[in-house]
């Protein structure tokens, strides 16, 4: 009989605490955080690469990876920020297919 009463009280505690811990807002925030972390892990920023007016950014990125002996699956690459004064080198944002 004591075991039954203790189990009931433990079950009630767990039930009440789980509803607090597993609220819809908390679950949504946790999932959103995990998705953002995964999305960000696929991004790479390249600094210091010379910028030319008629450049093809994808080719520059490909040359850099070839020089490094890597061939990651690139989804997108582009210069970041507004075109600035001559000699200024904007970073290149590279988005990869996976974070591997």
């Amino acid at each position: 009989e004591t075991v039954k009463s203790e189990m009931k009280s433990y079950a009630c505690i767990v039930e009440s605490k789980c509803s607090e811990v597993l609220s819809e807002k908390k679950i949504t925030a946790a999932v959103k955080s995990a998705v953002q972390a995964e999305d960000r892990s696929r991004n790479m920023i390249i600094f210091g690469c010379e910028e030319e007016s008629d450049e093809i950014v994808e080719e520059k990125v490909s040359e850099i990876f070839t020089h490094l002996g890597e061939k990651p699956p690139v989804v997108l690459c582009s210069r970041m920020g507004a075109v600035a004064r001559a000699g200024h080198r904007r970073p290149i944002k590279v988005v990869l297919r996976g974070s591997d």
Side-chain angles (χ1 to χ4, degrees), residues 28-47:
T28 303
V31 169
K32 186 176 181 180
S33 175
V35 168
Q36 285 175 342
E38 175 61 25
D39 286 347
R40 292 187 71 157
S41 71
R42 299 182 309 132
N43 296 339
M44 176 182 292
I45 308 295
I46 301 173
F47 294 93

Side-chain angles (χ1 to χ4, degrees), residues 64-83:
I64 291 169
F65 285 131
T66 300
H67 181 74
L68 294 172
E70 297 289 333
K71 186 140 176 87
V74 175
V75 174
L76 173 76
C77 42
S78 62
R79 291 279 182 177
M80 296 173 61
V83 178

Side-chain angles (χ1 to χ4, degrees), residues 1 3 15 18 26 35 45 48 53 64 67 69 79-80 85:
E1 193 65 36
V3 173
E15 187 176 294
C18 283
K26 288 185 179 182
V35 168
I45 308 295
S53 60
I64 291 169
H67 181 74
R79 291 279 182 177
M80 296 173 61
R85 64 190 184 285

Side-chain angles (χ1 to χ4, degrees), residues 17 19-32:
K17 294 295 180 187
S19 64
E20 292 172 18
V21 173
L22 298 177
S23 71
E24 185 176 344
K25 286 182 182 179
K26 288 185 179 182
I27 292 172
T28 303
V31 169
K32 186 176 181 180

